[in-house]
Amino acid sequence: MESKVSEGGLNVTLTIRLLMHGKEVGSIIGKKGETVKKMREESGARINISEGNCPERIVTITGPTDAIFKAFAMIAYKFEEDITNSMSNSTATSKPPVTLRLVVPASQCGSLIGKGGSKIKEIRESTGAQVQVAGDMLPNSTERAVTISGTPDAIIQCVKQICVVMLESPPKGATIPYRPKPASTPVIFAGGQAYTIQGQYAIPHPDLTKLHQLAMQQTPFTPLGQTTPAFPGLDASPPASTHELTIPNDLIGCIIGRQGTKINEIRQMSGAQIKIANATEGSSERQITITGTPANISLAQYLINASSADPDLHGRNTFTA
């Protein structure tokens, strides 16, 4: 089987997914996309890079096995070139290995490890590459990271052997692919202004500021020691309305936070009441009910969506009067 692969005889179409940091992705794309264009043309493989402002991105390589191996070779040599270039400016004497992270369905990891770790040991010994299979699945997915490191040649041989295992043992059941989350930007309210934190700077956020000011203006609570409405001309308790949205179970943890810290923060910032329904058996979603003024609800919704940072949440909301 292995010899057939290396001779290009086993020419089936395969898809391999790689997990990369932003800097690595930039290196693969190259100036004006020239590097990735060259890789696509020379390897014959389809190379797709996931969108978004995420710290991690998914690079998907699809094609006949020989095209995949060519694409991998080009990526491994490009990374080695980057390491060599970075070393010319540093005092380090030992050259770090090239490291790639594959994303593999968890149902195939058992075959990759083998009985008592026999398969992974065989791959390590025959290729000279280091191979590590993560113990835990990647967040909100049924995939695991497989880290390969070594010289470009060792990595190419290792990928060939991993491809053989993946072809011999197809994934069982449905695979939930890993989707990296956008970097969540913390929101700070100070002096009636909303700011998002980007790096070391606080950037004013006018849309959020408007929502925050509206929510504070229409809050049903009067400040301590005051019996009259805090804002003349505004009813202290404008009519409250209710808004419901459904959230996938696997994202509810991001919204609640450790020991409820996140949801309490959202309640305080928005001034809205937020109730999360208990999980119902057989359902993959949870109901969230938000009660308050329209401005309270808008701000709570924004903060909930920002916490889960999941594009699927938007547009799945159901309104009730």
Side-chain angles (χ1 to χ4, degrees):
M1 190 82 166
E2 214 280 302
S3 60
K4 273 189 184 173
V5 172
S6 47
E7 288 158 22
L10 181 71
N11 232 9
V12 272
T13 298
L14 251 184
T15 296
I16 305 276
R17 282 154 53 80
L18 284 164
L19 189 54
M20 289 190 191
H21 293 301
K23 197 176 172 187
E24 295 170 322
V25 171
S27 170
I28 295 292
I29 295 171
K31 210 171 273 182
K32 295 183 182 169
E34 282 166 12
T35 309
V36 75
K37 185 172 176 246
K38 190 180 174 199
M39 284 180 178
R40 287 178 181 134
E41 285 169 1
E42 290 187 15
S43 68
R46 283 210 307 277
I47 303 171
N48 288 325
I49 297 162
S50 67
E51 291 295 319
N53 58 339
C54 305
E56 294 181 317
R57 308 270 282 277
I58 295 283
V59 177
T60 309
I61 304 172
T62 308
T65 44
D66 58 351
I68 283 179
F69 302 148
K70 278 181 198 159
F72 260 94
M74 293 178 83
I75 290 171
Y77 283 116
K78 179 73 181 85
F79 283 175
E80 189 184 47
E81 189 188 306
D82 294 344
I83 291 168
T84 308
N85 291 343
S86 68
M87 282 188 70
S88 62
N89 305 324
S90 82
T91 54
T93 49
S94 59
K95 190 174 183 179
V98 172
T99 300
L100 293 178
R101 286 179 299 161
L102 307 188
V103 180
V104 176
S107 60
Q108 289 178 296
C109 287
S111 307
L112 188 56
I113 294 164
K115 207 169 191 178
S118 57
K119 189 69 198 171
I120 201 161
K121 185 169 180 258
E122 182 195 308
I123 293 173
R124 284 180 187 137
E125 286 172 359
S126 63
T127 64
Q130 273 301 313
V131 189
Q132 231 83 54
V133 178
D136 296 327
M137 287 192 252
L138 288 157
N140 306 323
S141 79
T142 57
E143 294 189 303
R144 289 203 222 172
V146 176
T147 307
I148 309 170
S149 54
T151 65
D153 292 339
I155 286 174
I156 297 154
Q157 290 308 316
C158 188
V159 168
K160 286 182 179 180
Q161 296 208 23
I162 289 173
C163 285
V164 172
V165 174
M166 289 171 82
L167 288 167
E168 286 175 343
S169 314
K172 296 170 195 75
T175 299
I176 302 168
Y178 173 57
R179 290 207 324 239
K181 286 256 179 86
S184 59
T185 50
V187 179
I188 286 179
F189 294 103
Q193 296 286 317
Y195 299 88
T196 53
I197 305 301
Q198 290 173 15
Q200 300 171 323
Y201 302 99
I203 313 291
H205 203 301
D207 297 346
L208 257 180
T209 300
K210 272 185 218 142
L211 274 174
H212 183 57
Q213 284 168 348
L214 264 173
M216 291 304 102
Q217 261 181 331
Q218 298 185 4
T219 182
F221 309 107
T222 52
L224 286 172
Q226 285 190 335
T227 48
T228 52
F231 295 92
L234 266 176
D235 184 355
S237 306
S241 54
T242 300
H243 175 85
E244 289 182 355
L245 47 136
T246 50
I247 305 277
N249 280 340
D250 54 7
L251 293 174
I252 221 76
C254 307
I255 292 158
I256 295 172
R258 190 169 285 175
Q259 296 176 326
T261 49
K262 192 77 208 166
I263 194 74
N264 286 338
E265 193 182 292
I266 294 171
R267 286 183 180 120
Q268 280 181 335
M269 280 186 178
S270 64
Q273 290 177 355
I274 304 167
K275 286 188 183 131
I276 299 175
N278 292 332
T280 50
E281 216 174 310
S283 169
S284 63
E285 296 185 317
R286 298 270 285 276
Q287 197 82 14
I288 294 185
T289 308
I290 308 170
T291 308
T293 65
N296 296 145
I297 291 171
S298 298
L299 186 52
Q301 248 188 295
Y302 177 91
L303 295 166
I304 286 170
N305 285 338
S307 299
S308 55
D310 185 55
D312 291 349
L313 291 183
H314 307 285
R316 278 227 314 251
N317 304 334
T318 55
F319 281 93
T320 59

